[in-house]
Amino acid sequence: MNFESEYRIRPNQQVSLDTIETRTRGPFERKSDGKAVTEENVKVIRDLQYRMFVEREQSLLIVLQAPDAAGKDGLIRKVLGKMNPQGCRTYPFKVPNETELAHDFLWRIHHCTPSKGKVAIFNRSHYEDVLVVRVENLVPKSVWSKRFELINDFERILTANGTRVLKFYLHISPEEQLERFKERLDNPDKHWKLNAGDYESRRHWDAFHRAYEEVFQKCSTEDAPWYVVPADRKWYRNAVVSSIVAKTLRDMAPQLPPVDVDLDEIRQLYHQAHARQQESS
Amino acid sequence: MNFESEYRIRPNQQVSLDTIETRTRGPFERKSDGKAVTEENVKVIRDLQYRMFVEREQSLLIVLQAPDAAGKDGLIRKVLGKMNPQGCRTYPFKVPNETELAHDFLWRIHHCTPSKGKVAIFNRSHYEDVLVVRVENLVPKSVWSKRFELINDFERILTANGTRVLKFYLHISPEEQLERFKERLDNPDKHWKLNAGDYESRRHWDAFHRAYEEVFQKCSTEDAPWYVVPADRKWYRNAVVSSIVAKTLRDMAPQLPPVDVDLDEIRQLYHQAHARQQESS
């Protein structure tokens, strides 16, 4: 199964989230089959990340958006966070502070985009400015409605400089979310995550779906596509996202750069050093 | 064996690097014993890092210094980088740029120190300003010789705010370094790392040792100690560093914060949501 093609939203595609399944196991008969695919993908991703890091020509930006408890943190812990931390950073975007609010909404985001050779993972992103901001009426429609085009402009600036942009929406059902809230209640180590506001957000479930659908239609571009990933099953979510990241890195085909040193000279230096070592010991 | 006590440099302690062994296997008969210790430590570190992240009261700064090829990258890849990337960042410090040079030498460093709940790993650090800068005469002695005290002042500012500072020197022999240079020559995937300058640096081996010894004597404090870690054997280096990090985190004893929400209220919200779910399905 080609997950990349299966779950990519085409430019201008009308999406109806309510009709996209959340609980599928795709082509996998057993959970262990999905886990094996993820494990293999992680190895590929690590190898290609290393090549990209050394090459220093391209970069990768991974945007994660999802309802609460849909698994952004788990995905980072189990899959994306397996990359070498020297070339990969995660950035959480919370409520903007006073300085950030005094700038345009993309200012703080731009600061965190990956430099050449690097990977950045956004835990929430500039898309909140057309999602929660819209649903909770934090700015007037006249403001947020212009942002879809501004986001496309911004992402074009990134892709023009060699950054691949992948945007994942982790798609869970309200039933699965409630189940996960229950797990938090049952586990004292997770009580710090509890928040009455989570239940309040559930009342806006449909409004968020409508807001996401407009995002997908307007901001899934050829160069910076959105993927809607069935996420009720964590192992399936991991298999799908890791497959898409691995495929993308393969397409980017980072190459170890040609050696710009004189190998013979280095070999000679090595032999000299080796000879000195022998003498002194 | 208490690695933390064994390898910690005491304040004002005179260190002679040439008399400290690099190739020991410590208490381990077999390499697999050392690897098992590291694996166990990584689990402990991940768990305590999670608690520190949630607690948001303390932070941890890990400074890595070493000769070329001594294994900073490997240590990050195999041990320190196993922490959850959402709470841990690595910072490489290279030659300072023009803006950085226009400030005091600690300005760019301060920018990268960890906020509460977080871990920062420095791949090289402010110590280069009394090491390479000294050995290569980049600034006059009148300038670098004042920096030991300034570094202590700076680190005191960090520890006063709840940051634990651990500083590791990976101690390898010149023979082992040469062996690793050879491996780079033999592996085309590592040719990008080759650099005639590496052999030039070997000529300053003793000068670097003297510079490090002054660092250890003057800048290993109660609150921000230096550790000299035998590093010819990678698995031993990993076992020692992971043991010291794990012990430090245990001492810091981060606690999940008391729950500041009304659990009964959340339970009630859950049951209401559950009832609505049942109705609608």
Side-chain angles (χ1 to χ4, degrees):
Chain A
M1 191 167 178
N2 182 341
F3 294 120
E4 195 281 327
S5 170
E6 176 74 17
Y7 295 120
R8 175 158 35 91
I9 307 299
R10 271 58 182 178
N12 304 312
Q13 183 183 337
Q14 295 246 7
V15 177
S16 168
L17 273 178
D18 300 336
T19 65
I20 300 181
E21 55 187 352
T22 56
R23 208 170 179 74
T24 176
R25 39 196 325 138
F28 300 115
E29 275 190 37
R30 287 165 310 190
K31 178 172 168 176
S32 58
D33 297 336
K35 286 191 162 195
V37 163
T38 301
E39 204 176 316
E40 186 54 35
N41 284 334
V42 165
K43 282 186 207 146
V44 171
I45 291 169
R46 280 179 68 107
D47 175 60
L48 291 167
Q49 184 214 359
Y50 174 75
R51 287 166 196 277
M52 188 172 79
F53 180 81
V54 178
E55 181 195 54
R56 285 186 87 160
E57 289 290 335
Q58 311 174 78
S59 50
L60 178 62
L61 169 59
I62 298 173
V63 170
L64 302 179
Q65 288 285 157
D68 194 29
K72 296 194 305 305
D73 292 338
L75 178 67
I76 292 172
R77 208 168 53 244
K78 299 285 191 181
V79 179
L80 303 176
K82 303 286 184 189
M83 284 190 262
N84 189 325
Q86 299 214 71
C88 178
R89 282 198 185 161
T90 70
Y91 297 89
F93 290 99
K94 316 247 180 202
V95 176
N97 67 30
E98 207 180 338
T99 308
E100 290 166 347
L101 281 173
H103 291 268
D104 70 84
F105 75 104
L106 293 160
W107 180 78
R108 66 172 182 156
I109 306 292
H110 209 159
H111 187 70
C112 303
T113 54
S115 59
K116 292 196 170 184
K118 303 287 183 67
V119 182
I121 299 165
F122 286 1
N123 186 340
R124 304 192 185 278
S125 67
H126 44 304
Y127 283 96
E128 291 295 343
D129 291 291
V130 286
L131 291 165
V132 68
V133 161
R134 167 184 182 168
V135 171
E136 296 188 0
N137 273 309
L138 303 181
V139 305
K141 178 170 183 180
S142 59
V143 173
W144 62 252
S145 65
K146 293 198 183 78
R147 288 180 173 167
F148 301 105
E149 196 48 41
L150 297 171
I151 287 175
N152 288 343
D153 294 342
F154 173 68
E155 293 180 356
R156 206 175 298 117
I157 292 168
L158 304 181
T159 55
N161 196 45
T163 301
R164 286 286 283 259
V165 183
L166 298 177
K167 300 173 293 198
F168 294 102
Y169 174 70
L170 307 184
H171 185 37
I172 61 166
S173 63
E175 292 82 2
E176 177 65 21
Q177 186 190 51
L178 200 59
E179 187 54 39
R180 295 186 189 180
F181 283 175
K182 180 73 164 52
E183 284 162 18
R184 289 181 184 175
L185 261 169
D186 293 345
N187 180 354
D189 271 12
K190 296 203 167 167
H191 279 179
W192 65 276
K193 283 195 171 186
L194 294 174
N195 185 346
D198 293 343
Y199 292 89
E200 182 59 26
S201 291
R202 282 174 63 85
R203 299 187 171 268
H204 299 302
W205 193 271
D206 290 335
F208 271 106
H209 268 197
R210 298 301 86 73
Y212 270 112
E213 286 164 357
E214 190 165 353
V215 161
F216 300 147
Q217 191 187 351
K218 294 190 169 165
C219 298
S220 194
T221 59
E222 288 292 346
D223 285 333
W226 269 102
Y227 298 88
V228 174
V229 179
D232 275 4
R233 296 180 198 271
K234 296 170 184 175
W235 62 267
Y236 188 68
R237 165 202 79 199
N238 291 347
V240 170
V241 173
S242 65
S243 294
I244 294 172
V245 173
K247 180 182 189 306
T248 302
L249 283 166
R250 279 203 194 91
D251 287 349
M252 292 167 75
Q255 305 291 326
L256 295 178
V259 183
D260 63 353
V261 297
D262 180 341
L263 278 177
D264 287 336
E265 182 201 354
I266 303 272
R267 280 199 193 92
Q268 204 180 345
L269 286 167
Y270 168 76
H271 288 300
Q272 287 166 0
H274 188 67
R276 270 196 304 275
Q277 194 87 76
Q278 300 293 84
E279 274 170 38
S280 70
S281 65
Chain B
M1 191 166 178
N2 182 340
F3 294 120
E4 195 281 328
S5 171
E6 176 75 18
Y7 295 119
R8 174 159 36 91
I9 308 299
R10 269 60 182 177
N12 305 312
Q13 183 182 336
Q14 295 246 8
V15 177
S16 168
L17 273 179
D18 301 335
T19 66
I20 300 180
E21 55 187 352
T22 55
R23 208 169 180 74
T24 177
R25 41 196 322 139
F28 301 114
E29 276 189 37
R30 287 165 309 188
K31 178 173 169 175
S32 58
D33 297 337
K35 286 191 161 194
V37 163
T38 300
E39 203 175 319
E40 186 54 34
N41 285 333
V42 165
K43 282 186 206 146
V44 170
I45 291 169
R46 281 180 69 106
D47 175 59
L48 291 167
Q49 184 213 359
Y50 175 74
R51 285 165 197 278
M52 188 172 79
F53 180 81
V54 177
E55 182 194 56
R56 285 188 85 158
E57 288 292 335
Q58 310 174 76
S59 51
L60 178 63
L61 170 59
I62 298 174
V63 170
L64 302 180
Q65 288 284 160
D68 194 31
K72 296 194 304 307
D73 293 338
L75 178 65
I76 292 172
R77 207 167 54 243
K78 299 284 190 183
V79 179
L80 304 175
K82 303 286 185 189
M83 285 191 262
N84 188 325
Q86 299 215 69
C88 179
R89 283 199 185 159
T90 70
Y91 298 88
F93 290 100
K94 316 250 178 196
V95 176
N97 66 30
E98 207 181 336
T99 307
E100 290 166 346
L101 281 172
H103 292 267
D104 70 83
F105 76 106
L106 293 161
W107 180 80
R108 65 172 183 156
I109 307 292
H110 209 158
H111 186 71
C112 304
T113 54
S115 59
K116 291 196 171 184
K118 303 287 182 67
V119 182
I121 299 165
F122 286 2
N123 185 342
R124 306 192 183 278
S125 67
H126 44 303
Y127 283 96
E128 292 295 344
D129 292 290
V130 287
L131 290 165
V132 68
V133 161
R134 167 184 181 168
V135 171
E136 296 186 2
N137 274 309
L138 303 182
V139 305
K141 179 171 182 179
S142 59
V143 173
W144 62 253
S145 64
K146 293 197 183 78
R147 288 181 173 169
F148 301 105
E149 196 48 40
L150 297 171
I151 287 175
N152 288 343
D153 294 341
F154 172 69
E155 294 180 357
R156 206 176 297 117
I157 292 169
L158 303 182
T159 55
N161 196 45
T163 301
R164 288 287 286 259
V165 183
L166 297 177
K167 299 173 294 199
F168 294 103
Y169 173 71
L170 307 184
H171 185 35
I172 61 165
S173 63
E175 293 81 1
E176 176 66 21
Q177 186 191 51
L178 200 59
E179 187 55 39
R180 295 186 189 181
F181 283 174
K182 180 74 162 50
E183 284 161 20
R184 289 181 184 175
L185 261 169
D186 293 344
N187 180 353
D189 272 11
K190 296 202 168 167
H191 279 179
W192 66 275
K193 283 193 172 189
L194 294 174
N195 184 346
D198 293 341
Y199 291 89
E200 183 59 26
S201 291
R202 281 174 64 84
R203 298 188 170 269
H204 299 302
W205 192 272
D206 289 336
F208 269 107
H209 268 197
R210 301 297 88 72
Y212 270 112
E213 286 164 355
E214 191 165 355
V215 162
F216 299 147
Q217 191 186 353
K218 294 189 169 166
C219 298
S220 194
T221 59
E222 289 292 346
D223 286 333
W226 270 102
Y227 298 88
V228 174
V229 179
D232 275 4
R233 295 180 199 270
K234 296 171 184 176
W235 62 267
Y236 188 69
R237 165 202 81 199
N238 292 347
V240 170
V241 173
S242 65
S243 295
I244 295 172
V245 173
K247 180 180 189 308
T248 302
L249 283 167
R250 277 202 195 92
D251 287 349
M252 292 167 75
Q255 304 291 325
L256 296 178
V259 184
D260 62 353
V261 296
D262 181 342
L263 277 177
D264 287 334
E265 183 202 351
I266 303 274
R267 279 200 193 91
Q268 204 181 342
L269 286 167
Y270 168 76
H271 288 299
Q272 287 167 0
H274 189 67
R276 270 196 302 276
Q277 195 86 77
Q278 299 295 85
E279 273 170 40
S280 70
S281 66

